[in-house]
Amino acid sequence: METTLVILKPSAVLHGYVGQIVQRFQQKGLVVRGMKMMQLSEGLLREHYAHLVDRPFFPFLLRSMQASPVIVMALWGKDAVEVVRMMTGATNGRKALPGTIRGDFSVSGQENIVHASDSIENAEIELKRFFKPDEIFEYIPSSIVYTYEPDELK
Ligand code: TYD
């Protein structure tokens, strides 16, 4: 089982899409193990998007990610990193397939609604970046036995 980081970006918060997006993850069977609202600082964003700081659009990305508070989530499940990335869709909302979150809620390369960790290694780093250890709750809902077969829970 894995835990992955999702950020509901200002484009989700300001459009009032938070509930619908959280519902999609829960409906899929992912367990919310952490969730909070925070205003992202420039320093945290420079760390989080270190691979993009030299790109010409970086000032716009900063402005976009600071336009409102965001919701950060820790989602737990089997192959959660890959499952959540598939649900997220391609970076550019115009290219993201219908049925994905970006495909259904966005039409932009920047205002693309969600961030999701892209690898197990990055999920570990990003969860530590956005959550303190006591903000992640390692409970298992009793419904889990109707979500997975026993072998999948090992
Ligand atoms: P990136 O890490 O490449 O993609 P993803 O979010 O799918 O993992 O990019 C991070 C964010 O930077 C992306 O969600 C939106 C923004 N961005 C732009 O605004 N323009 C761009 O050309 C790219 C590549 C990203």
Side-chain angles (χ1 to χ4, degrees):
M1 304 296 270
E2 294 168 9
T3 309
T4 191
L5 178 90
V6 167
I7 304 174
L8 307 186
K9 297 183 178 185
S11 47
V13 172
L14 294 170
H15 283 113
Y17 296 153
V18 170
Q20 291 178 72
I21 295 168
V22 173
Q23 184 185 20
R24 282 191 181 215
F25 290 128
Q26 291 192 301
Q27 187 173 300
K28 181 71 174 168
L30 293 150
V31 175
V32 179
R33 284 195 156 184
M35 182 155 73
K36 64 176 175 177
M37 181 172 257
M38 60 193 292
Q39 178 70 41
L40 300 180
S41 68
E42 180 170 338
L44 191 67
L45 284 164
R46 285 186 173 277
E47 189 184 314
H48 184 62
Y49 286 131
H51 59 296
L52 298 173
V53 285
D54 295 329
R55 301 288 292 272
F57 60 81
F58 189 72
F60 301 111
L61 179 57
L62 270 184
R63 189 177 65 186
S64 162
M65 291 298 291
Q66 293 187 300
S68 77
V70 300
I71 308 283
V72 292
M73 302 175 71
L75 293 177
W76 176 84
K78 181 85 174 167
D79 301 328
V81 172
E82 187 187 353
V83 168
V84 169
R85 281 291 286 195
M86 276 186 357
M87 291 178 72
T88 297
T91 303
N92 187 321
R94 294 192 298 283
K95 304 269 167 62
L97 292 175
T100 65
I101 293 166
R102 287 167 168 170
D104 289 351
F105 289 91
S106 73
V107 69
S108 163
Q110 188 158 83
E111 302 303 328
N112 61 3
I113 310 291
V114 282
H115 165 82
S117 304
D118 64 2
S119 67
I120 295 172
E121 298 71 35
N122 282 339
E124 277 176 25
I125 294 166
E126 292 177 359
L127 285 163
K128 288 196 181 91
R129 181 175 295 144
F130 290 94
F131 285 99
K132 300 185 189 110
D134 66 357
E135 291 174 332
I136 294 185
F137 300 87
E138 297 194 350
Y139 70 104
I140 298 178
S142 55
S143 60
I144 202 81
V145 293
Y146 308 109
T147 307
Y148 294 105
E149 61 145 310
D151 276 354
E152 290 173 322
L153 284 169
K154 280 180 187 158

